[in-house]
Amino acid sequence: MHRSYKTILALLFVLCFSSVAWSAQVVDRIVAVVNGEIITLFDLNERIKPFLDRFQGKTLTDADKRAILQLKHQMLDGMVNNILIKQEGDRLGIQISDVEVENEVRTYKKNANLSEEDFQKQLTLEGLTRDQFKDKLKEEILRHKLLGFMVKRKVAVTKQDIQRYYDAHPEMFKQNKQLDVSLILAGSDVNLKEIRARIANGEMEFADAANTYSEGPGAGQGGRIGTLEWRDLAPEWRDVLRGVSAGNMTKIFAVQGKSALILVNGVQQAGEADLKSVEDRIYKTLYQERLEKRFQEYIGKLKENALIEIKL
């Protein structure tokens, strides 16, 4: 008997929740059919097994039961989506080769800087076999290809969209105050007070003094350590830099037991980033939001046209 998707979900949750006994005997059964393709109780429990294992030997609280129920809801929805995506991929003739999947495995390991041994350990911690991990990758590859076939061409972001987003989210584009600085970090055998006076009198360049006397970062490059974010500075650095304008030096202060002197090369005051500098970031944000919305609409239409039923 065919029912609406929400009705099917409700019936399935009653069925699943009435047997929250993964540690006891599990009776497998067909719990859902999607256009003739089945989802079993075993399939569902396998998907959430890593989560359920946390409750082994534990008396369930009401909060635990709600969490399990919610997870089964989310997992079932995802499993239905995956079946619909697979069926749609078959209809469109989209193929995923074993070579593509293995390439994705290699890319994943490379990006995560994992050796094969580390990769296997991670899979074990997540309660996955290598084949299960590859199945998940295959689902993702298919999803991306389906996006390319049916969804991406329907997503557009205009200049006006970007401008409206920029105007509506001013707090997202505030710039932090930035300082371009050079540093002299001198040992106890260096009279930094005298050196500072010589720099101030024009007898010596700050860069020359840094190359000669500094033991800190930037030594050999005129003491320059680049641009620093004001919010990231240690309190003692803020104290000596506060109010110092470009081209001027701070007073001498202590850093890790050494005498320190900073030259402020330039200051960029806090303010709002101009639209041009954040345009690409806004475009990507809007594009991803709209892409996901289109995809969910696409999945929704597939569900409307699907035959989804419960087998009791």
Side-chain angles (χ1 to χ4, degrees), residues 147-305:
L147 280 169
F149 263 73
M150 304 299 294
V151 180
K152 282 186 177 180
R153 58 188 173 84
K154 299 180 181 179
V155 176
V157 177
T158 67
K159 292 283 188 181
Q160 291 76 13
D161 294 332
I162 294 172
Q163 181 69 58
R164 281 193 291 269
Y165 188 92
Y166 177 81
D167 293 338
H169 300 85
E171 73 286 350
M172 293 180 62
F173 307 110
K174 288 187 182 297
Q175 291 180 320
N176 181 38
K177 180 179 177 181
Q178 296 179 326
L179 304 175
D180 185 311
V181 301
S182 297
L183 170 71
I184 296 176
L185 194 63
S188 58
D189 58 333
V190 175
N191 188 336
L192 193 54
K193 183 177 181 180
E194 180 183 332
I195 292 172
R196 187 187 189 284
R198 292 179 65 191
I199 297 171
N201 292 333
E203 299 175 21
M204 178 183 291
E205 293 293 330
F206 188 97
D208 293 335
N211 290 338
T212 304
Y213 301 108
S214 183
E215 300 176 0
Q221 288 83 45
R224 190 171 184 278
I225 57 176
T227 302
L228 304 177
E229 300 276 344
W230 180 264
R231 62 188 167 203
D232 295 335
L233 295 176
E236 59 269 25
W237 284 57
R238 290 188 188 182
D239 288 343
V240 297
L241 283 164
R242 189 171 284 110
V244 179
S245 58
N248 293 305
M249 294 181 288
T250 66
K251 65 182 182 181
I252 296 171
F253 66 110
V255 175
Q256 298 176 347
K258 297 181 183 295
S259 297
L261 178 65
I262 296 175
L263 170 67
V264 177
N265 301 310
V267 179
Q268 181 176 314
Q269 296 294 340
E272 289 189 358
D274 63 278
L275 177 60
K276 186 174 182 180
S277 67
V278 296
E279 191 172 13
D280 287 346
R281 175 154 56 111
I282 296 175
Y283 176 87
K284 290 176 183 177
T285 298
L286 290 175
Y287 185 83
Q288 288 301 320
E289 287 178 356
R290 294 179 183 187
L291 185 63
E292 183 61 28
K293 182 180 178 182
R294 288 289 188 187
F295 186 75
Q296 292 304 323
E297 290 172 354
Y298 182 61
I299 290 294
K301 289 180 181 178
L302 292 180
K303 284 178 178 176
E304 287 176 7
N305 297 322

Side-chain angles (χ1 to χ4, degrees), residues 66-226:
R66 286 194 297 270
I68 293 167
L69 191 63
Q70 182 180 8
L71 182 63
K72 286 192 173 184
H73 182 286
Q74 294 171 346
M75 190 57 65
L76 174 68
D77 193 54
M79 293 174 76
V80 170
N81 288 349
N82 287 338
I83 289 176
L84 291 172
I85 290 170
K86 177 179 176 296
Q87 291 173 346
E88 188 71 355
D90 291 341
R91 184 183 72 81
L92 295 170
I94 300 175
Q95 301 293 323
I96 310 297
S97 68
D98 292 340
V99 173
E100 286 179 273
V101 178
E102 283 297 338
N103 285 340
E104 284 298 317
V105 172
R106 283 194 291 271
T107 299
Y108 174 84
K109 287 163 57 179
K110 181 180 178 180
N111 291 341
N113 196 27
L114 295 174
S115 66
E116 179 61 27
E117 182 180 357
D118 292 334
F119 176 59
Q120 291 294 344
K121 288 179 180 177
Q122 180 173 315
L123 290 181
T124 300
L125 287 173
E126 295 179 7
L128 294 173
T129 65
R130 189 184 183 93
D131 285 342
Q132 287 172 330
F133 181 78
K134 288 167 67 175
D135 286 342
K136 287 179 177 292
L137 282 181
K138 192 170 184 178
E139 290 171 358
E140 282 301 309
I141 295 170
L142 178 58
R143 185 178 189 273
H144 289 145
K145 287 193 174 185
L146 196 57
L147 280 169
F149 263 73
M150 304 299 294
V151 180
K152 282 186 177 180
R153 58 188 173 84
K154 299 180 181 179
V155 176
V157 177
T158 67
K159 292 283 188 181
Q160 291 76 13
D161 294 332
I162 294 172
Q163 181 69 58
R164 281 193 291 269
Y165 188 92
Y166 177 81
D167 293 338
H169 300 85
E171 73 286 350
M172 293 180 62
F173 307 110
K174 288 187 182 297
Q175 291 180 320
N176 181 38
K177 180 179 177 181
Q178 296 179 326
L179 304 175
D180 185 311
V181 301
S182 297
L183 170 71
I184 296 176
L185 194 63
S188 58
D189 58 333
V190 175
N191 188 336
L192 193 54
K193 183 177 181 180
E194 180 183 332
I195 292 172
R196 187 187 189 284
R198 292 179 65 191
I199 297 171
N201 292 333
E203 299 175 21
M204 178 183 291
E205 293 293 330
F206 188 97
D208 293 335
N211 290 338
T212 304
Y213 301 108
S214 183
E215 300 176 0
Q221 288 83 45
R224 190 171 184 278
I225 57 176

